[in-house]
Amino acid sequence: MNGMTTRRWALGLLSGVAMIAMGSARAAAEVRFGALYPFSGELAVLGDESWRGLELAVEERNAAGGVQGERIVLVRGDAVDNNQAVAEARRLISVSGVKAIFGTYSSARAQVASQVAELARIPYLEMGAVSDSITDRKFRYLFRTNPTARDMAERSIEMVINAVAPAHSVQPRDLRVAIIHEDSLYGTTVGRFQAGFAKEQGLNIVETLPYPANVVDMSALILRLQSAKADVVLQTSYQNDTVLFFRQAREAGFRPRAIIGGGGGYSLRETMQAVGQDVMDGVLNIDFTQIATNPKAAPGIPHFLEAYRAKYGMEPRSGHSLGNYAGAKIYLEAIDKAKSFSADDIAAALRALDIPEGQTAAGWGVRFGENGQNQRSKMMGLQWQDGKLVTVFPSEAAVSDLRLRR
Amino acid sequence: MQTFLQLVINGLMLGGLFAIISIGLTLIFGIIRLVNFAHGELLMVGMYLTWIGTSQLGLHPYVLAPPVVLVLFVIGVLIQRFILQPLLDARDAHVQIFATVGLSTALINLALLVFGADLYATPAPGVREAIHFGPFRVLIGQLVMFGCGIAVVVALHLFLERSYLGRAIRATAQHRAAAQLMGVDVRRIYIVTFGIGAACVGLAAVLVAPLYPTSPTVGTYFVLTAFVVVVLGGMGSLHGAFVGALLIGLVDSLSAYYIAPDLKEVVIFGLFLLVLLVRPTGLFGLGRGSE
């Protein structure tokens, strides 16, 4: 009886010691980073697509020896809504002890979660959220590799001037441009920047019409565009309103020379299927670098595609994985060169980056501004051609010529 | 002038859409005195059923009307029998309303789980084609919807006025306890009424699905307007709801054009408040609550 208890006690102690030893051995060779995305709920599909890019970049890095000689372990946090994003950011920092948080896809969640990280002095490394206000808060440990809503607006106006006008052999100022957008933060931000850039460039804006995203009838809006004789329409929208616009425009017989979307609903295959391939053919769009981009301008794409297909056994569902892959590679390379994993050393290493355009996986250069925003990342000009979204602008990234709408 | 008339036509057609969606809600509100927050989600369920029937079985959406109406009737009966009826004797009548809010959230998330967040377009050969009347255009699907709206209102009116069951339903609406004393099985009446209300939504779903893409949250786009229509029409008056819906459609269309698309809700709800202040019982209300 007595011997039994002693044996058990000794065994327990031994296993306890072993566990502590194993734990410390693991800690010595591992560094943890948080991966905060919406993994469930309405944004889950693109949240997961974004995560895949990060996962691929980390696996690649680990295969090459990790960062600062340590193996990277990703701890996932599910930012299903804003409250959850805050709670998960706190958990990652205080319970899991991550040295940096990568994310987030959703602008609203990035906005709130980055606040938690900043207060805890943990770098927040954004690779997908587009709202400009995220980097407008003078945070010291917040960085963003991807382009923003402002870049989207700038690119769309650039496309009107340098692609649409020449294709129709008219002067840009002779085009009658209408801006329509859903009236939440996303559409309003892009729409406002578009109006500003268009004015700067001397374009003729005939209508600027915000509408609620849950709109059930756009026929009156389309009648207004018809009355204004708009021949270029810039729309920033989600999926429902994109489908509604195309259906009702077709039904009303409204055929502008060019329609340029701003990501969102315009980038999704399901939108094209719901609208119809023939109706969507020739429609332009601005978004992150897509898979169908010339590798000369975005040198990482062939390698990324190969790795993606090998790991997931399918084609990427959107360009979000590529954007996160490119962003994560930029961050991990800099962290590897940092003196330690302290927030100040990581921030210093990131601020020292100076990569010219066209050299990272998605074609961006890297130079972080005071506010943490990458000043050398741009959106691409895309077009729906035969049911595929392909890059047509700028010319060095194009895989196909711009088509006129039939 | 031509633009104005086209706007009026568009507005009336939009009103037809609001009307067909609001009929079921009006019925349930008028008889059971229940604000059914899951109304939009019943529409969503019906639209998914229509989408499955058209895309998987290759049927025309209109052919699917009888089965979808029947399925929605059964769903309505089950909801009333197993979710709302047990709460009928709860101390606070609002418990039932909270139950429908819960049901609404549950159904949206169930749809997210099963179908994902993406939207689906119901194939509908011919329905989205426009008919031309001189310079004006109307979609075939919209005309059908408008006609069905009128037909359903007339049919329900006849049913409630002429049939024995209809009279029992009206008696229950007028005074629950008195009807019970006269030998009306109130619980059964409520079950049947909720079933009919849900069946009306089923018909609406079949007609709406060809015109609007289906997604888990599609019901939320329509339900707020449906509530406005019910109150505007006179809280339970069927023809009142129909006229209210046409009014909302017209205001929606005209204010989106002449004022601004993002301000049309301000105009609609402003008008709504005005009507409530001037005529608290709605346009076609009896002037007093019926119970």
Side-chain angles (χ1 to χ4, degrees), chain A residues 42 183 209-212 214-217 219-221 223-224 227 239-240 243-244 247-248 250-253 270 274, chain B residues 6-7 10 14 18 112 117-119 121 128 137 139 210-213 217 221-222 253 256-257 259-262 264:
Chain A
E42 280 201 50
D183 65 1
L209 298 173
Y211 59 85
N214 62 357
V215 63
V216 294
D217 181 64
S219 59
L221 180 142
L223 267 175
R224 261 180 88 146
S227 310
Q239 216 177 350
N240 170 66
V243 174
L244 210 55
R247 279 190 178 174
Q248 297 199 312
R250 190 186 72 86
E251 287 153 11
E270 286 74 14
Chain B
Q6 181 69 54
L7 282 167
N10 291 353
L14 185 62
F18 291 148
L112 274 172
D118 274 316
L119 46 77
R128 282 203 297 269
R137 303 160 166 262
L139 293 191
L211 301 178
Y212 289 89
T217 49
Y221 297 171
F222 296 103
S253 175
Y257 186 88
I259 302 174
D262 56 337
K264 64 186 183 186

Side-chain angles (χ1 to χ4, degrees), chain B residues 74-120:
Chain B
V74 173
I75 291 176
V77 164
L78 293 177
I79 290 175
Q80 176 66 26
R81 173 65 189 84
F82 292 105
I83 298 178
L84 300 177
Q85 198 177 77
L87 302 172
L88 206 55
D89 301 319
R91 199 174 302 158
D92 194 330
H94 297 116
V95 172
Q96 281 190 319
I97 296 177
F98 291 133
T100 63
V101 173
L103 185 65
S104 154
T105 311
L107 285 174
I108 289 178
N109 284 288
L110 186 69
L112 274 172
L113 200 68
V114 178
F115 299 103
D118 274 316
L119 46 77
Y120 295 103

Side-chain angles (χ1 to χ4, degrees), chain A residues 167-214:
Chain A
H168 288 276
S169 322
V170 291
Q171 287 300 313
R173 68 188 68 240
D174 294 334
L175 288 169
R176 300 174 67 82
V177 182
I179 297 171
I180 60 174
H181 61 83
E182 60 85 27
D183 65 1
S184 80
L185 184 66
Y186 157 57
T188 310
T189 313
V190 177
R192 201 169 287 161
F193 279 123
Q194 279 173 334
F197 287 125
K199 211 170 162 195
E200 260 173 42
Q201 300 293 328
L203 291 182
N204 179 16
I205 302 286
V206 292
E207 282 279 20
T208 304
L209 298 173
Y211 59 85
N214 62 357

